[in-house]
Amino acid sequence: MKEKVKVAIIGCGAIAQKRHLPEYLANPAVDVVGYFDNNLSRAQALAQQYGGHAYTTLAALLADPQITAVSVCVVNQAHAAVAIQALKAGKHVLCEKPMATSWSDCQRMVQIARQTGKKLLIDHNQRLIPAHQAAYRLLRQGKLGHLLTFKTTFGHSGPETWSVGGKNPWFFDKKLSQSGAIFDLGIHKIDLLRYLLADEIQAVWAQTATLDKHSPDGQLIGVDDNAIGVYQFGSGVRGTVIASWTYYGPQENSTYIYGSQGVMKIQADPQFPLQVIFRNGQHMNYQWPTSKVRSSGVIAEFIQSIQEDRPTILDAAQILGSMQALFASLKSARTGQIVSLNPA
Ligand SMILES: NC(=O)c1ccc[n+]([C@@H]2O[C@H](COP(=O)([O-])OP(=O)(O)OC[C@H]3O[C@@H](n4cnc5c(N)ncnc54)[C@H](O)[C@@H]3O)[C@@H](O)[C@H]2O)c1
């Protein structure tokens, strides 16, 4: 049996507690041995409940030679610095999305991962959702014919119902998040479309707006709570990405891809996460057991990629194009102009 991977978690908030930690604990190839959070009590609470050590500084955690891999689950603004520090300390890194808050930081992260020879994965869990994996395969088989357009949406009621920060979370603070719904949710779908279409974005026209979220002082927050973008791919396929923190009913997390032979509806119907409806009226419906859908698959992918020293679709280098399109979207929203991209 392969040696277990000894893991530590940096940033012990909602995503660490709800996804990373449960999936590490359920993975027989992993020992969770450490935690760090700027708020020490959060690291201590996890250490007490699940075992392992709560470090008082990041440097102390990274200096511990037993730790070979870390999850970086801190605020957006700190992703690059913490991930780079961890890579330089010889750790493999699974970093939360969005990868970083500037294009130069994204490039530097990939460069340092190459130099150190350590894995750097970005948690684009949408790529691994079973319906997206199946859609990817069907698209490669050409089932939809010639691809034409898409529309994709990710919206919920906002991070204040999710983050450990409660009603006024760091997500609303531009200094810590850089941007709002587009950074939090839009990046998932921009990246998903690049993955599903196996193509690069060539141009974007986007709008961001702050429509409804308020700070405690009654002012609208300093980042967008809604974003809408039109994205054009190299093949000529084009469509819309909508990201929203103001869907106060049920969340929406769907993607439609239209081709010359029909339409693929992904996560549009709760019963059938993937449906293909052909122009001749034929339907194909796909379902997966809940157990397969419940785990993000990201932790298993991170650990296997370390143990088998193999490439992964979550490799940071593969996410660069998504980040370039994300920053282009912000530029377009700022200037009102269509922004063209030169592939990284
Ligand atoms: N992949 C996904 O689907 C997904 C879902 C939710 C959140 N996220 C991402 O995960 C990251 C964390 O979000 P969250 O929802 O857990 O937020 P959160 O507010 O619930 O928790 C953040 C935690 O990080 C700690 N922290 C902040 N800066 C730190 C630093 N420099 N060093 C150590 N600890 C620090 C905070 O004290 C807090 O405990 C964000 O980048 C977010 O975009 C990803």
Side-chain angles (χ1 to χ4, degrees), residues 8-327:
I9 294 180
I10 303 168
C12 299
I15 193 69
Q17 294 176 29
K18 291 177 191 174
R19 291 234 199 94
H20 291 244
L21 191 50
E23 293 188 25
Y24 280 130
L25 294 172
N27 192 320
V30 173
D31 270 338
V32 182
V33 297
Y35 309 88
F36 173 69
D37 195 292
N38 277 349
N39 179 330
L40 181 59
S41 66
R42 284 191 196 128
Q44 285 171 330
L46 295 187
Q48 201 164 16
Q49 195 170 354
Y50 301 104
H53 183 68
Y55 295 83
T56 51
T57 64
L58 177 59
L61 183 152
L62 294 178
D64 187 337
Q66 71 163 329
I67 296 168
T68 51
V70 298
S71 270
V72 175
C73 302
V74 301
V75 298
N76 299 347
Q77 179 274 334
H79 286 182
V82 174
I84 287 172
Q85 214 178 324
L87 288 167
K88 286 186 170 171
K91 316 299 182 194
H92 299 290
V93 174
L94 169 59
C95 179
E96 266 308 333
K97 46 52 60 176
M99 187 169 166
T101 51
S102 75
W103 175 233
S104 57
D105 276 350
C106 294
Q107 289 176 303
R108 213 165 112 69
M109 289 165 81
V110 169
Q111 187 192 10
I112 304 280
R114 277 199 193 117
Q115 282 168 4
T116 57
K118 296 295 161 189
K119 304 280 177 211
L120 174 61
L121 275 65
I122 308 300
D123 187 2
H124 276 292
N125 53 304
Q126 294 255 340
R127 290 183 174 220
L128 294 178
I129 290 173
H132 292 152
Q133 284 285 307
Y136 178 88
R137 286 189 294 272
L138 293 173
L139 289 168
R140 294 297 81 68
Q141 291 162 13
K143 294 275 187 217
L144 278 191
H146 173 52
L147 299 184
L148 299 167
T149 61
F150 63 85
K151 60 178 184 187
T152 184
T153 309
F154 199 173
H156 59 47
S157 57
E160 68 273 34
T161 56
W162 160 274
S163 159
V164 293
K167 280 197 161 83
N168 186 35
W170 63 267
F171 286 86
F172 292 172
D173 180 348
K174 191 173 168 58
K175 287 195 298 298
L176 299 178
S177 63
Q178 170 71 23
S179 194
I182 193 168
F183 252 54
D184 185 31
L185 304 179
I187 185 60
H188 272 301
K189 294 305 190 189
I190 291 170
D191 182 67
L192 176 67
L193 262 301
R194 280 185 61 246
Y195 175 64
L196 288 180
L197 301 178
D199 196 3
E200 291 299 341
I201 293 168
Q202 284 206 331
V204 51
W205 179 50
Q207 280 194 11
T208 56
T210 312
L211 301 176
D212 195 52
K213 296 287 182 202
H214 292 84
S215 310
D217 62 5
Q219 301 292 312
L220 284 168
I221 59 172
V223 295
D224 53 286
D225 59 19
N226 279 274
I228 301 175
V230 178
Y231 294 82
Q232 183 183 332
F233 282 78
S235 61
V237 173
R238 60 202 75 191
T240 53
V241 176
I242 297 182
S244 179
W245 279 345
T246 61
Y247 286 7
Y248 295 122
Q251 94 155 14
E252 191 167 341
N253 188 348
S254 65
T255 302
Y256 293 63
I257 298 176
Y258 299 85
S260 56
Q261 295 307 315
V263 57
M264 181 177 268
K265 299 185 179 184
I266 316 172
Q267 301 197 140
D269 178 320
Q271 197 186 355
F272 297 111
L274 177 62
Q275 301 174 299
V276 188
I277 304 161
F278 293 98
R279 67 192 296 174
N280 66 6
Q282 190 198 344
H283 278 235
M284 282 160 51
N285 290 326
Y286 298 80
Q287 284 173 305
W288 287 267
T290 346
S291 58
K292 222 179 159 202
V293 176
R294 215 172 274 146
S295 163
S296 75
V298 169
I299 296 302
E301 180 69 9
F302 181 42
I303 298 303
Q304 276 172 23
S305 74
I306 294 170
Q307 288 195 316
E308 296 166 15
D309 192 18
R310 64 157 170 80
T312 158
I313 56 169
L314 300 180
D315 191 299
Q318 298 206 27
I319 312 299
L320 278 180
S322 308
M323 293 308 294
Q324 202 181 22
L326 181 66
F327 294 117

